[in-house]
Amino acid sequence: MARIFSGIQPSGELHIGNYLGAVRNWVQLQQAHPGAIFCIVDYHALTGNYDPAVLRQRRHEMAVSLLAAGIDPARATLYAQSTVPEHTELAWIFNTITPLGELERQTQYKDKSSRQESVVVGLLTYPVLQAADILLYLADTVPVGEDQVQHLELSREVARKWNARFAPEDAPFFPEPKPLLTPTRRIMGLDGQAKMSKSMGNTIGLLEEGDAIWAKLRPAVTDPARVRKTDPGTPEVCNIYHLHKAFSPPPVVAEVAEKCSTAAWGCIECKKVLHEHMEAELVPIRRRAAELREAPELITAALDAGTETCRTIARATMGRVKEAMGLT
Ligand code: AMP
Ligand code: TRP
């Protein structure tokens, strides 16, 4: 049986890229895998510039969003990373076996560090903490979007290196965790230029109101070949079509493809149909979020229970790690 772990930064609101690339998959996976663990990675969020009061608020909001999206504390474990100190303990240990060159090659590190004048060490060792997150629970399956594939390669290398050095050859201790991608592994922003991401300001928030979503969809970029309504388009090159594939039922997706390539529909008509199907999925999520905001004690209870569960597992792992490394 797969052991599932994944994480999300509380560095902004949960957007539909996160939802379609990862979180919707978490909600499905918890059915067949009741022990799945989902973590709000607040330590990871410290590597960017941030305001403590805003972080506190966003951590809470992320819990609201995840629970509203369908994470069920009766089936899955939800908690905040900084409430389980073993994450940073194991990260230090992994720092001592991770090759510097591997960290310097990480695309995310190269991107982010090139945009900063002074680069903090935490940005470089970010993937080491991520490896610790996963391996602390001996997880082997990590549902994420495509942008995390390289970080998971590094997690596998860390597991291999630790096993080679400290575990018997015939009984590796850490599994080699693999990414689990969805069909919507990379959602583009509404500008159609870059990945949908908190830092690009090109997102649709999971909890945004219907009118606000429509105000963003209406001017969103479509197939550039469709200058006039009568110009036929190529669905596959259009971001709106990909959102249809994520939100609309298959017969509607087929109809969209047909109406676009024959210019029977203009882009606005196509977006209206998309908006309807998005609302069908998102209205109940918004409703649950509003209910949860009225009951903060439910959120605290879910997170506290998650911390308890995780500390028990984490302590056991650290016990075995320290034993193997001569630290007892
Ligand atoms: P983050 O918000 O960077 O902590 O990402 C949380 C999860 O959402 C990770 O599994 C990411 O891979 C996934 N994710 C973030 N942006 C996108 C996107 N534009 N398309 C698909 N998945 C995404
Ligand atoms: N780096 C991930 C992201 O930006 C977040 C993350 C931290 C994570 N630790 C993790 C994801 C462990 C999966 C497993 O999306």
Side-chain angles (χ1 to χ4, degrees), residues 36-196:
I37 302 178
F38 303 115
C39 181
I40 299 174
V41 293
D42 46 3
Y43 275 150
H44 278 104
L46 307 184
T47 55
N49 228 339
Y50 79 98
D51 172 341
V54 173
L55 178 63
R56 186 172 296 116
Q57 178 60 30
R58 284 181 172 167
R59 202 174 88 149
H60 180 79
E61 269 299 302
M62 185 54 76
V64 170
S65 301
L66 292 174
L67 292 169
I71 298 296
D72 175 4
R75 295 198 152 265
T77 297
L78 178 69
Y79 73 110
Q81 184 186 35
S82 65
T83 62
V84 178
E86 285 81 3
H87 283 258
T88 43
E89 204 180 354
L90 186 57
W92 171 257
I93 284 176
F94 286 165
N95 269 332
T96 67
I97 57 168
T98 306
L100 178 59
E102 295 292 323
L103 294 177
E104 286 170 336
R105 293 199 302 109
Q106 297 288 313
T107 312
Q108 185 180 300
Y109 171 71
K110 288 197 285 191
D111 269 7
K112 291 199 171 168
S113 63
S114 69
R115 282 187 259 128
Q116 292 172 13
E117 231 171 79
S118 156
V119 178
V120 297
V121 174
L123 202 57
L124 180 69
T125 57
Y126 178 110
V128 180
L129 179 58
Q130 181 162 352
D133 296 340
I134 300 163
L135 295 173
L136 197 49
Y137 305 100
L138 308 181
D140 52 22
T141 306
V142 185
V144 282
E146 191 170 61
D147 56 353
Q148 295 304 311
V149 167
Q150 196 186 25
H151 284 160
L152 286 177
E153 249 167 55
L154 186 97
S155 294
R156 289 199 291 282
E157 172 152 10
V158 168
R160 275 197 297 275
K161 282 221 175 333
W162 192 94
N163 289 338
R165 176 98 170 75
F166 301 110
E169 210 171 312
D170 56 346
F173 179 61
F174 287 119
E176 292 186 26
K178 290 192 182 50
L180 187 64
L181 300 172
T182 61
T184 41
R185 52 178 65 188
R186 188 167 192 268
I187 295 291
M188 298 299 280
L190 295 174
D191 48 11
Q193 300 297 311
K195 180 187 87 163
M196 183 175 286

Side-chain angles (χ1 to χ4, degrees), residues 19 64-65 67-70 206-208 276-292:
Y19 177 68
V64 170
S65 301
L67 292 169
L206 186 69
L207 302 181
E208 269 186 74
E276 250 169 58
H277 291 288
M278 286 179 72
E279 285 291 280
E281 184 158 348
L282 300 181
V283 166
I285 296 178
R286 293 203 291 268
R287 197 175 302 132
R288 276 199 298 275
E291 289 162 9
L292 284 162

Side-chain angles (χ1 to χ4, degrees), residues 228-242:
R228 281 172 303 265
K229 199 176 158 182
T230 48
D231 296 332
T234 311
E236 280 301 330
V237 306
C238 179
N239 197 24
I240 297 298
Y241 178 64
H242 290 284

